[in-house]
């Protein structure tokens, strides 16, 4: 059974810092991996999608990497801003149509 | 497009009562997913439908939970009888069949069972 773990569970950093969120998964047989953002009281918004054949994806200040063989992904946020404060979730597609989510990292950027 | 619509946004009910959560997927989407989010277990897939047909309900916790999709534009998740441990945020998401990585999530229904 695929399991996804995110570390740390919570992170608080001052504005302007670069930071890394971590995601690990137990079964390397995945179709792709996604990073989502969840704001309080809201649904999930997809940030980046990495296909299994890719190593990384970039969108603005966000960069996500994927190492299937080691079962790891990282989300790098450059020059963090208070508006980046949210919960970030990692999810893998192990097959069929399912998304398997990690518990998330709650990020707080302090002005 | 209005996105995925869920109702109600908040529901408070007493233990033993029946609860019905509703979802309207994005027009044209033919896959629909129900998730439950709790602090302890995170976000879990309960059930998903393709073309109104339930495909995988292995995540449904027990017989008290049931889901239906009578047509392409409407789905319900029912809990009967409800218990305090059912308190959670329930999300509905939709996508095209075969595109699980393009799911659009609704805002969720926060359920509190007292």
């Amino acid at each position: 059974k695929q399991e996804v773990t995110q570390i740390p569970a919570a992170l608080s950093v001052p504005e302007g810092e670069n930071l890394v969120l971590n995601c690990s998964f137990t079964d390397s047989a995945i179709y792709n991996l996604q990073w989502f953002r969840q704001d309080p009281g809201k649904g999930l918004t997809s940030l980046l999608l990495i296909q299994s054949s890719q190593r990384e994806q970039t969108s603005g200040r966000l960069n996500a990497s994927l190492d299937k063989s080691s079962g790891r992904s990282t989300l790098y946020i450059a020059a963090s801003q208070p508006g980046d404060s949210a919960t970030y979730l990692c999810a893998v597609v192990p097959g069929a149509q399912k998304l398997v989510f990690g518990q998330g990292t709650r990020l707080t950027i302090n002005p | 497009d209005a996105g995925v619509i869920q109702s109600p946004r908040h529901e408070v009910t007493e233990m033993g009562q029946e609860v019905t959560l509703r979802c309207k997927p994005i027009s044209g989407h033919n896959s629909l997913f129900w998730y439950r989010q709790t602090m302890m277990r995170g976000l879990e897939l309960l059930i998903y439908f393709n073309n109104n047909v339930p495909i995988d309900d292995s995540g449904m916790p027990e017989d008290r939970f049931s889901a239906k999709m009578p047509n392409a534009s409407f789905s319900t998740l029912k809990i009967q009888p409800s218990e305090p441990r059912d308190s959670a945020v329930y999300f509905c998401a939709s996508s095209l069949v075969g595109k699980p990585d393009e799911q659009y999530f609704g805002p969720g229904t926060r359920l509190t069972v007292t």
Side-chain angles (χ1 to χ4, degrees), chain A residues 11-29:
Chain A
L11 181 64
S12 181
V13 300
E15 181 179 2
E17 281 202 4
N18 303 324
L19 58 98
V20 175
L21 307 181
N22 297 292
C23 172
S24 61
F25 46 95
T26 54
D27 188 343
S28 62

Side-chain angles (χ1 to χ4, degrees), chain A residues 18-100:
Chain A
N18 303 324
L19 58 98
V20 175
L21 307 181
N22 297 292
C23 172
S24 61
F25 46 95
T26 54
D27 188 343
S28 62
I30 62 170
Y31 284 96
N32 57 48
L33 182 144
Q34 269 185 288
W35 282 93
F36 291 85
R37 171 183 171 136
Q38 184 177 22
D39 292 287
K42 302 278 183 68
L44 278 67
T45 301
S46 180
L47 296 173
L48 288 165
L49 169 69
I50 311 177
Q51 300 290 350
S52 61
S53 59
Q54 297 176 317
R55 296 290 296 221
E56 65 178 323
Q57 279 286 342
T58 298
S59 176
R61 295 182 294 108
L62 305 180
N63 176 275
S65 68
L66 174 63
D67 184 344
K68 270 184 57 177
S69 60
S70 66
R72 295 175 187 272
S73 175
T74 62
L75 179 66
Y76 175 83
I77 302 177
S80 58
Q81 303 170 358
D84 295 330
S85 297
T87 296
Y88 291 80
L89 294 123
C90 164
V92 300
V93 179
Q97 284 200 231
K98 292 184 177 182
L99 282 172
V100 179

Side-chain angles (χ1 to χ4, degrees), chain B residues 16-86:
Chain B
Q17 296 297 307
E18 177 179 295
V19 175
T20 299
L21 311 181
R22 297 173 176 79
C23 175
K24 177 179 170 55
I26 291 173
S27 178
H29 281 184
N30 49 11
S31 282
L32 184 138
F33 305 80
W34 282 102
Y35 293 89
R36 178 173 67 176
Q37 186 176 40
T38 61
M39 290 292 291
M40 289 295 294
R41 300 175 68 89
L43 196 63
E44 303 173 284
L45 177 66
L46 299 176
I47 184 172
Y48 77 91
F49 297 82
N50 282 350
N51 297 308
N52 313 337
V53 176
I55 302 301
D56 186 344
D57 64 356
S58 60
M60 295 285 263
E62 48 197 276
D63 292 345
R64 297 185 297 107
F65 285 69
S66 62
K68 294 183 180 179
M69 193 163 187
N71 57 62
S73 59
F74 183 66
S75 177
T76 60
L77 178 68
K78 185 176 293 186
I79 308 172
Q80 165 65 17
S82 58
E83 297 182 3
R85 60 192 168 118
D86 302 330

Side-chain angles (χ1 to χ4, degrees), chain B residues 83-104:
Chain B
E83 297 182 3
R85 60 192 168 118
D86 302 330
S87 297
V89 181
Y90 291 81
F91 287 100
C92 175
S94 71
S95 74
L96 294 173
V97 170
K99 296 285 188 180
D101 49 348
E102 295 179 9
Q103 291 183 33
Y104 290 82

